[in-house]
Amino acid sequence: MIEIRNLTKRYGDFTAVDDISLDVARGEIFGFLGPNGAGKTTTIRILAGLSLPTSGSVRVNGLDVTKDGVRVKATTGYIPDRPFLYEKLTGRELLQFVSNLYGREWRDCEARGMELLAYFGIANWADARIENLSHGMKQKLVIVSALVHDPELLIIDEPMVGLDALAQKQVKLLFRRLVEEKKTVFLTTHTLSVAEAVCDRIAILNRGRIVASGTTSELKSDRALEDVFLELTYSDEAAP
């Protein structure tokens, strides 16, 4: 589903992403972990078609994100770590607007959108202005808006921000439902327990480079994932 080859992104003399390569299969939940400033969000923005690589290539479902960006975005849902909402719209109006952005008719997406709102317990707020929703409700609406057009790939940066314990469990179950539908989830998180609970495979990024990758059990061996993560990203041996 995702093929990244020798991806590099530089900002002047600073290298944010340094020659990384990875593959993510269809129907997989892939965790992309790393400390602040490791290059996770930069990679995600390139994957989502919001930034251009300095060199290397990124392909989604066989399409090059730099050459076929519109086609890639049409089959992708993206949730940034700081999403923006048009707060004068109602939830229903936002979902209709997003559906149209993806080239879909609202009548074709409405049932899925309303079903997802109901799943998160906010269907009764569909016609309320977004400015009147709580922070957690807004975050749920953001997730629904990323899925309303039924994308093949969901890219999400810090999925649990602002969510209570019930909503976090709902999101985890939703990820598994997407996998059952043969969808792919690519996520970053600082919450290692979330990565351990939901991800099929994980890559750990440090200073722009992938320093480890594999299943959770492969990375952990007989240790806690947190200990492995800290050793790889904060010890002197982790320096490239």
Side-chain angles (χ1 to χ4, degrees), residues 9 12 33 42 67 74-75 86 97 102 119-121 129 134 154 180 183 188 191 195-196 198 211 221 230:
K9 179 65 176 182
L33 311 183
T42 299
K67 298 176 182 177
T75 60
Y86 297 97
F97 173 68
Y102 283 107
Y119 174 78
F120 282 117
R129 284 191 178 182
S134 69
L154 176 64
E180 290 172 0
K183 308 296 174 52
T188 72
T191 310
E196 189 168 0
V198 305
V211 294
S221 185
L230 292 174

Side-chain angles (χ1 to χ4, degrees), residues 93-125:
E93 288 170 341
L94 175 72
L95 297 182
Q96 182 175 356
F97 173 68
V98 171
S99 298
N100 293 338
L101 280 180
Y102 283 107
R104 301 287 303 278
E105 294 291 338
W106 173 236
R107 63 175 177 269
D108 298 325
C109 300
E110 184 174 9
R112 180 175 177 83
M114 296 307 296
E115 186 270 329
L116 286 167
L117 290 179
Y119 174 78
F120 282 117
I122 57 173
N124 291 339
W125 292 80

Side-chain angles (χ1 to χ4, degrees), residues 49 63-76 101-102:
L63 299 174
D64 189 309
V65 297
T66 61
K67 298 176 182 177
D68 299 291
V70 173
R71 293 172 65 190
V72 171
K73 290 174 185 175
T75 60
T76 301
L101 280 180
Y102 283 107

